[in-house]
Amino acid sequence: MNVFPRLPDNLTGGLRRPNQVRRDQLEGAVREALSRQVAVTRPLTADPAGQAIRRANRIRRRRAGVGIALGVVTTVLIGAGMTHLSGGSDQQGPPIVVIGDPDLSAQPLATASVAPPPPPPPPSSKASADALFASALIDADGKRLALPGVGPAELAHRLPNGTGLLVVGAPTAAGRSLWVAQDDGLVQVLLAGAGQIVLAPDATQVAWRDGEDLLVAGVVGTQLIGTVRIAVPDSAQPVRFVGSSLLVRPDPTRPGHVLWRPGADKLTEVPEQDTLNVYGSLPDGRLVSQVSANSADGTCLALVDPLRATKAARTACGTRLSPDGVGGMSDDGRWLLVNGKVGSTDRSLLVDLERLGTTLDAVPVGPAVSGAVAWTSDSDVAYVDSSGWLVRLNVKRVRAGEPAEQTPVAGIEPGDRPVLVSGS
């Protein structure tokens, strides 16, 4: 007996499958099998084309990275070079000149280039605006100061932070200009084509005449800010700052002054209408003024309160003061250096304002003042005389009978009139 029955196949019983295949059928089956194998995509163990493409992409990325790096380095180098040319104290390129509209609150300053100046002198330990100025400008020690490309100056004052100078240009057919020269070598024009220009004692404000208006602005760095204006008579001229107000002379040919507080829409008349010149203000606000007198002396020295409708608190006469109004007060308000007459000779006079009485007690100390008076301390003062010499004196020594020190200014050509830089 067969335990494991045999399954039927084509050689045994059951369904029979024909095994007679023709040659053309076999060839067709082989062709179909081969064609199916070719249609199937199989990964290659080595792909030369793909490797070449990937290698080219890597090279392209590397070249792009190198190009970007070179561009960054070039940009940094160019930026550093421009910074060196524009901001360095030893710059060789042309300075940048900013010419502002007189009403700087209305529009920003525009920038323009000027012709390259001559190479500056080698930098010193005190690289400041002092190294820029020469010939026409000097400091209280007689040192020449030079500013290539800037015309003759009428007045120069140090900036309050000690980082440069404000320079008022001499009058020209086109008007006056106001320059600022920083210690880092930057030179800019703040005003151009203006009328009379007046600087505050601390150089933080400037007033000027423009057409029919009088304008005042603050000085911050190399900009004028907060510009305000008021219409004034054609002959009115700014004289000096008195605290936060501006002293104005309506008619330079006649005595009398008015005060304008910037922002106000009117001028306030100063009570003492015989005032000819004002030399400064005391800490209490009173003005040290030259007033006309009815006596043969012609003028007197008076202390005037500009805000009260009263006569001068004190008036001292007996010494003939020069009508030119040139003079300057010490910062503490104790001393006044002013021009006057000693006999028929013009001299500089020293006045002790604390001892001002009915008689003007003035001590002749040197030749007459020509231009600005620079108090370097409460007891030391310097100025330039009419001959272009620098005059320096100490209050205690000259009051003790010691003459003032007079020295010629080195490098000044005959006929040149040096301008003394004021402010500390």
Side-chain angles (χ1 to χ4, degrees), residues 32-44:
E32 183 179 358
L34 291 176
S35 64
R36 290 177 179 176
Q37 290 181 359
V38 172
V40 176
T41 302
R42 299 182 183 274
L44 297 176

Coordinates of all heavy atoms in Angstrom, one line a residue, residues 32-44:
E32 N 11.3 38.2 -25.1 CA 10.5 38.9 -24.2 C 11.1 39.0 -22.8 O 11.2 40.1 -22.1 CB 9.1 38.3 -24.0 CG 8.2 39.0 -23.1 CD 6.8 38.3 -23.1 OE1 6.6 37.3 -23.8 OE2 6.0 38.8 -22.3
A33 N 11.8 37.9 -22.4 CA 12.5 37.9 -21.1 C 13.6 38.9 -21.1 O 13.9 39.6 -20.1 CB 12.9 36.5 -20.7
L34 N 14.4 38.9 -22.1 CA 15.6 39.8 -22.2 C 15.1 41.2 -22.3 O 15.8 42.1 -21.7 CB 16.4 39.4 -23.5 CG 17.2 38.1 -23.4 CD1 17.9 37.8 -24.7 CD2 18.1 38.1 -22.2
S35 N 14.1 41.5 -23.0 CA 13.6 42.9 -23.1 C 13.1 43.4 -21.8 O 13.3 44.6 -21.4 CB 12.5 43.0 -24.2 OG 11.4 42.3 -23.8
R36 N 12.5 42.5 -21.0 CA 12.1 42.9 -19.6 C 13.3 43.2 -18.7 O 13.2 44.2 -17.9 CB 11.2 41.8 -19.0 CG 9.8 41.7 -19.7 CD 9.0 40.6 -19.1 NE 7.7 40.4 -19.7 CZ 6.8 39.5 -19.4 NH1 7.1 38.5 -18.5 NH2 5.7 39.4 -20.0
Q37 N 14.3 42.5 -18.8 CA 15.5 42.7 -18.0 C 16.2 44.1 -18.4 O 16.6 44.8 -17.5 CB 16.5 41.6 -18.2 CG 16.0 40.3 -17.5 CD 17.1 39.2 -17.7 OE1 18.1 39.4 -18.3 NE2 16.8 38.0 -17.2
V38 N 16.2 44.4 -19.7 CA 16.8 45.6 -20.1 C 16.0 46.8 -19.6 O 16.5 47.9 -19.3 CB 16.9 45.6 -21.6 CG1 17.4 47.0 -22.1 CG2 17.9 44.6 -22.0
A39 N 14.6 46.7 -19.6 CA 13.8 47.8 -19.2 C 13.9 48.2 -17.7 O 13.6 49.3 -17.3 CB 12.3 47.5 -19.5
V40 N 14.3 47.2 -16.9 CA 14.5 47.5 -15.4 C 15.8 48.3 -15.2 O 16.8 47.9 -15.7 CB 14.5 46.2 -14.6 CG1 14.8 46.5 -13.2 CG2 13.2 45.4 -14.9
T41 N 15.7 49.5 -14.5 CA 16.9 50.4 -14.2 C 17.6 49.8 -13.0 O 17.0 49.7 -11.9 CB 16.4 51.8 -13.9 OG1 15.7 52.3 -15.1 CG2 17.6 52.7 -13.6
R42 N 18.9 49.5 -13.1 CA 19.6 49.0 -12.0 C 20.8 50.0 -11.7 O 21.4 50.5 -12.6 CB 20.2 47.6 -12.4 CG 19.1 46.6 -12.7 CD 19.7 45.3 -13.0 NE 18.7 44.3 -13.4 CZ 18.0 43.6 -12.5 NH1 18.2 43.7 -11.2 NH2 17.0 42.7 -12.9
P43 N 21.1 50.2 -10.4 CA 22.2 51.1 -10.0 C 23.5 50.5 -10.5 O 23.7 49.4 -10.4 CB 22.1 51.2 -8.5 CG 21.4 49.9 -8.1 CD 20.4 49.6 -9.2
L44 N 24.4 51.5 -11.0 CA 25.7 51.1 -11.4 C 26.6 51.2 -10.2 O 26.6 52.1 -9.4 CB 26.2 52.1 -12.5 CG 25.3 52.1 -13.8 CD1 25.9 53.1 -14.7 CD2 25.3 50.7 -14.4

